[in-house]
């Protein structure tokens, strides 16, 4: 699923060049829920963006879903991203689109569905996250927890094999946070997808199959 | 519905894609209103400039186009109606010898400084001296009153003249005659006709040729401003023009009426700066529109950078975002054009009344301005889309 070996990453150039990741080796298996923890500035978010194909890798090997992303061009990275689901710290929903349309956007990338099928799948997914009654609501009309649930629906609606999440509970109260993570866990199990989640939130550590700690750009065993 | 497969596929594809650009525009009503007002404003500016330009050309060929003739004789030194120079009357008689030529009439044109009968101030008007027995202008109202021109110092006046003539015209409409003076002679205005003002002449007077020669004693009766030739039915004007030109010496030029209208128009196009001025005005309006639409589209892109970066993270290509900006540009062009064009209909009516120029909306001009609007919006979109580079998904986490 994810196989990383000797991954290094630097920010900046010349005298300002700074190493943020150093000799990362990590394997994640299909269906696993892996939590990535560590103090801020440890490089865990950089690791997540590299795995997600949002940044190009500089050195080492990075095989995601059977494809090497080291040396991949912008076009290949864009295509690789279509096989991932993303959940962000902020919900990042489009404010001009309804909940249903936000979820539907993720399906437009998959050329196989027509308009009616997309609406149907998106609606079913919203129902699965308990927002059936809010299909036509705009993000501005939803609570923080509801918005993050729409974001979860958007990330999972195309049944991606890999879901990447960055502090998905940081902006939520403990109850909604718990709810969102529980939802991710349940849907991931149903779809058999792998989850890699960066989090500080100690309240949700129990959903993990494995916890990986990052410190100063290196993985530290726990 | 049975659509051809290619069109059906296109319909399916367009139904698949959410009209994201339009949804974003619609979401912020205030910004949309500003954008549409800006585009409508640019449209009105362009319409006005192009309208005046067209009116200039039309107005300055009004008289040319009302001449009753197939061929026109004029001096090779002629530049436009206001500076026609002259040629010998003998050429007109010689031209009638050419087979196919049926008849010929001479026309005197002069600028006259007369006393405005209403304000009693001096004003310059264009004067046509015609043979009262000949139908030389295609103006039925004028032709009905031609007999009056046989009276000495009697003239007919253009009711569409520009300037303070409203009271004079009102008196004449009631059937009264109005008198004034010019060149120390007393003139009687006996009636009205409808021609129209031009940039070169505010007002036009028609009088008998004898009256004109009396008003301008230094003018040689043997020197004509224009010669009007009628052809026998079925004679091709182009061939006849060539034949007459061959028959006459080089001190006279022979043109078909259509060519003569073009000759007048091309003077205003090239020798006068007015075409350049209105062209420049249109270009400025275009630029104003580009700046306004660019502002609106850039603001919209900036306001949605986070959302765009999210789409990039989800696997949408840069091209998709570009398409959103293009979609917005096209929607703005279409929506902004409609109020602009509607407003312009009213403005043209106002301008036509205020300037006595033949200004009106024409389909080709509406198409031209719509094309310019599309171009304007797409150019703005192209510049604004450079901001899309800032939508970096790596900055999202």
């Amino acid at each position: 699923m994810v196989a990383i070996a000797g991954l290094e990453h630097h920010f900046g150039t010349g005298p300002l060049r700074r190493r943020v990741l150093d000799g990362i080796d990590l394997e994640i298996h299909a269906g696993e829920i892996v939590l990535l923890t560590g103090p801020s500035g440890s490089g865990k978010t950089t690791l997540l963006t590299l795995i997600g194909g949002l940044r190009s890798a500089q050195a080492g090997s990075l095989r995601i879903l059977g494809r090497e992303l080291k040396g991949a061009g912008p076009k290949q990275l864009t295509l690789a991203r279509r096989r991932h689901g993303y959940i962000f710290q902020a919900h990042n929903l489009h404010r001009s689109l309804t909940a249903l349309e936000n979820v539907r956007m993720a399906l437009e990338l998959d050329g196989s569905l027509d308009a009616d099928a997309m609406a149907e799948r998106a609606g079913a997914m919203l129902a699965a996250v308990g927002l059936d009654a809010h299909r036509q609501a705009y993000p501005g009309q939803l609570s923080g927890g509801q918005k993050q649930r729409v974001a979860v629906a958007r990330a999972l609606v195309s049944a991606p094999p890999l879901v990447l999440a960055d502090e998905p509970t940081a902006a939520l109260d403990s109850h909604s946070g718990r709810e969102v993570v529980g939802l991710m866990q349940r849907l991931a199990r149903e779809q058999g997808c792998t989850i890699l989640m960066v989090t500080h939130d100690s309240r949700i550590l129990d959903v993990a199959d494995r916890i990986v700690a990052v410190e100063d750009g290196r993985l530290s065993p726990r | 519905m049975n659509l051809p497969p290619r069109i059906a596929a296109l319909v399916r594809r367009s139904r698949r894609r959410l009209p994201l650009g339009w949804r974003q525009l619609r979401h912020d009503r205030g910004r949309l209103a500003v954008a549409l007002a800006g585009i409508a404003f640019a449209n009105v500016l362009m319409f006005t400039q192009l309208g005046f330009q067209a009116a200039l050309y039309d107005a300055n060929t009004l008289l040319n186009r009302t001449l009753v003739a197939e061929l026109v004789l004029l001096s090779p030194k002629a530049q436009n109606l206001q500076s026609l120079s002259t040629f010998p009357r003998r050429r007109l008689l010689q031209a009638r010898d050419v087979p196919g030529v049926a008849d010929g009439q001479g026309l005197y044109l002069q600028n006259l400084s007369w006393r405005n009968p209403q304000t009693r101030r001096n004003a310059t008007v264009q004067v046509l001296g015609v043979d009262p027995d000949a139908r030389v202008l295609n103006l039925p109202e004028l032709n009905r009153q031609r007999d009056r021109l046989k009276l000495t110092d009697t003239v007919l006046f253009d009711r569409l003249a520009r300037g303070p003539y409203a009271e004079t015209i009102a008196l004449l409409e009631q059937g009264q005659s109005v008198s004034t003076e010019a060149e120390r002679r007393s003139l009687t205005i006996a009636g009205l006709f409808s021609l129209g003002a031009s940039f070169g002449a505010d007002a036009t007077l028609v009088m008998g040729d004898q009256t004109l020669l009396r008003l301008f004693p230094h003018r040689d009766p043997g020197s004509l401003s224009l010669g009007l030739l009628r052809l026998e039915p079925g004679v091709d004007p182009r061939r006849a023009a060539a034949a007459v030109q061959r028959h006459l010496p080089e001190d006279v030029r022979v043109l078909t009426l259509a060519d003569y209208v073009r000759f007048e128009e091309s003077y205003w196009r090239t020798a006068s700066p007015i075409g350049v001025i209105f062209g420049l005005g249109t270009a400025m309006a275009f630029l104003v529109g580009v700046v306004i639409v660019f502002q609106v589209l850039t603001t919209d892109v900036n306001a949605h950078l986070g959302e765009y970066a999210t789409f990039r993270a989800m696997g949408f290509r840069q091209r998709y975002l570009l398409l959103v900006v293009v979609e917005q540009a096209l929607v703005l062009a279409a929506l902004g054009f409609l109020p602009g064009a509607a407003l312009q209909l009213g403005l043209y009516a106002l301008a036509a009344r205020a300037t006595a120029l033949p200004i009106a909306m024409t389909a080709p001009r509406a198409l031209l301005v719509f094309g310019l609007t599309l171009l304007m919006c797409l150019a703005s979109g192209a510049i604004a889309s450079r901001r899309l580079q800032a939508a970096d998904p790596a900055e999202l986490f």
Side-chain angles (χ1 to χ4, degrees), chain A residues 91 93-99 101-102 105 136-140, chain B residues 18-28 31 300 303-304 307-308 311 328:
Chain A
H91 55 85
L93 297 178
H94 197 296
R95 72 192 105 121
S96 318
L97 300 179
T98 64
E101 288 166 338
N102 265 293
M105 282 303 292
Q136 302 307 326
Y138 286 91
Chain B
L18 275 178
L20 192 64
W22 164 234
R23 300 296 292 272
Q24 280 175 205
L25 288 174
R26 201 182 63 176
H27 194 73
D28 192 337
R31 195 182 297 154
D300 192 75
H304 291 94
E307 284 139 333
Y308 287 162
F311 286 149
Q328 292 185 320

Side-chain angles (χ1 to χ4, degrees), chain B residues 204-237:
Chain B
T204 303
L205 283 181
V206 175
M207 56 180 66
D209 43 11
Q210 296 311 310
T211 302
L212 185 132
L213 292 171
R214 246 181 241 118
L215 267 179
F216 299 98
H218 298 299
R219 171 132 198 178
D220 172 11
S223 295
L224 291 177
S225 304
L226 286 176
L228 310 179
L229 296 183
R230 302 301 313 268
L231 297 178
E232 279 159 8
V235 177
D236 176 44

Side-chain angles (χ1 to χ4, degrees), chain A residues 143-146 148-149 168-169 171-182:
Chain A
S143 72
Q146 287 172 326
Q148 200 58 300
R149 272 147 68 194
T169 60
L172 304 177
D173 60 64
S174 67
H175 174 71
S176 329
R178 189 70 232 178
E179 214 174 50
V180 164
V181 173

